[in-house]
Amino acid sequence: MVLLIYTVISGFLIPIPDLANNSVLEQTIRNLFFHVPMWFAMIIVLFISLVYSIKYTSKQRIEDDMMAAECANVGILLGILGASTGAVWAKFTWGQFWPNDPKLNGAAIAVMMYFAYGILRNGIEDPQKKAKVSAIYNIFSFPIFIVLILILPKINDSLHPGNGGNPGFNKYDLDSNMRMVFYPAVIGWSLLAWWIVTLNYRIKLISHKKHNNYEQIKTATISTIDSI
Amino acid sequence: MNKLKLLLLALLIASKTQAQSVDDSFRQDGKILVVITVLLIILIGLFIYMIRTDRKITKIEKNEN
């Protein structure tokens, strides 16, 4: 929380480098503290999701699967936020809401892929089977996500800095002032994302436990009735 | 739902008639409005998500009784 408050305040107030002032970016360079950390946080939560899916495949604990699912959900949220904020930023710097850019399209496909993960989960009734299938899907989709969002745009020409021969943002944020805000921003947004994940996980856990108790009571009652 | 549609329609009309001036004002002051919009989108997105979470909790609470 403190990190995010610091990010918003100093994100708006610190002086920006002259270089940005002279390019199409102008003050929008400040979006570095809001739009960019969305994607960083997304990569981090989806990586955690991958870790929990691997954990599930080795230990078969249903809780690990629930955690992986919640991480993927928040990843989708961050992806949508990142894409919509990016669209606004693109409109006023590159001139279009959705320029035909490999990074944008890659990110869109990646978000779709995680949507498909959610749909896949909803489609399978049996919890163990659901967990197993979706864990495997998740383990395969993470590398594809990384390729789509980080590697392909580097190979093709992208409007994004650091891709396809464009200079990286280093040119701008070598300015140590901006680094001082950017790193806390990434950590702050990521921690916020992680907090949302844990809240949702706890909700899931409670309803799961209650459901289980209910099932146990039901089966116990049925067996007592049977024995009578 | 109807209210929402009306609001959207109003926004659409407003954006059609004032598109040029809105566009201009976004390009003023070193495009600072773009940054504010970006931050607002993030906040609204998080609020919507939190409201959904709130509803989920309410559902669980109701099941308790």
Side-chain angles (χ1 to χ4, degrees):
Chain A
M1 287 302 258
V2 176
L3 284 173
L4 280 182
I5 292 166
Y6 166 77
T7 300
V8 173
I9 293 173
S10 41
F12 274 102
L13 293 183
I14 61 156
I16 55 167
D18 283 342
L19 209 56
N21 245 333
N22 295 329
S23 69
V24 288
L25 286 167
E26 300 184 53
Q27 296 285 334
T28 63
I29 185 78
R30 294 180 199 282
N31 276 346
L32 184 69
F33 313 130
F34 307 115
H35 162 78
V36 184
M38 290 294 125
W39 297 107
F40 275 75
M42 181 185 179
I43 293 170
I44 290 169
V45 288
L46 290 181
F47 179 72
I48 296 170
S49 177
L50 169 79
V51 170
Y52 274 96
S53 278
I54 292 172
K55 237 173 134 182
Y56 174 79
T57 46
S58 65
K59 287 188 188 147
Q60 318 279 313
R61 278 177 66 237
I62 200 86
E63 285 87 352
D64 290 339
D65 173 63
M66 280 153 62
M67 187 58 130
E70 289 311 324
C71 284
N73 275 342
V74 174
I76 291 172
L77 170 75
L78 291 168
I80 292 170
L81 289 178
S84 46
T85 55
V88 174
W89 195 4
K91 170 73 180 152
F92 295 103
T93 49
W94 298 332
Q96 258 181 305
F97 278 113
W98 196 275
N100 199 8
D101 180 281
K103 196 153 190 154
L104 268 69
N105 296 332
I109 296 168
V111 173
M112 295 289 174
M113 230 162 55
Y114 280 94
F115 261 123
Y117 171 74
I119 294 166
L120 178 75
R121 291 184 64 83
N122 282 336
I124 305 173
E125 287 278 321
D126 178 40
Q128 285 296 340
K129 204 171 168 187
K130 173 203 264 182
K132 204 173 277 172
V133 173
S134 60
I136 292 163
Y137 178 91
N138 199 19
I139 292 168
F140 277 108
S141 61
F142 186 76
I144 300 171
F145 161 69
I146 290 296
V147 167
L148 281 172
I149 208 168
L150 293 177
I151 299 172
L152 275 185
K154 276 212 196 327
I155 298 169
N156 294 301
D157 282 336
S158 172
L159 290 163
H160 278 85
N163 297 143
N166 275 347
F169 250 123
N170 295 346
K171 209 168 110 192
Y172 302 111
D173 72 359
L174 263 185
D175 186 322
S176 59
N177 274 333
M178 292 200 64
R179 274 173 196 272
M180 284 286 287
V181 184
F182 179 61
Y183 295 138
V186 169
I187 299 168
W189 288 111
S190 302
L191 285 177
L192 180 70
W194 177 241
W195 185 31
I196 297 173
V197 168
T198 51
L199 286 183
N200 279 325
Y201 171 67
R202 279 156 61 191
I203 296 169
K204 268 277 166 63
L205 206 61
I206 288 172
S207 60
H208 173 73
K209 273 184 186 155
K210 263 167 68 181
H211 185 71
N212 260 13
N213 280 348
Y214 172 74
E215 290 288 313
Q216 274 168 14
I217 291 166
K218 207 167 91 178
T219 43
T221 328
I222 290 169
S223 58
T224 12
I225 291 170
D226 279 352
S227 62
I228 292 167
Chain B
M1 217 50 200
N2 266 333
K3 269 184 190 166
L4 194 71
K5 275 180 191 160
L6 266 177
L7 185 71
L8 281 176
L9 196 68
L11 278 176
L12 197 70
I13 293 166
S15 66
K16 277 268 157 63
T17 51
Q18 298 186 332
Q20 205 49 50
S21 63
V22 170
D23 215 53
D24 285 346
S25 64
F26 266 80
R27 289 176 200 284
Q28 274 169 12
D29 303 321
K31 302 178 181 173
I32 191 72
L33 266 177
V34 177
V35 186
I36 295 172
T37 315
V38 162
L39 192 56
L40 272 180
I41 290 173
I42 294 172
L43 279 181
I44 292 168
L46 286 176
F47 282 150
I48 292 171
Y49 197 82
M50 283 328 222
I51 291 167
R52 275 189 54 201
T53 311
D54 192 299
R55 291 214 177 120
K56 263 190 231 162
I57 298 175
T58 316
K59 223 172 96 187
I60 295 169
E61 279 171 346
K62 271 185 188 158
N63 279 344
E64 204 151 287
N65 305 321

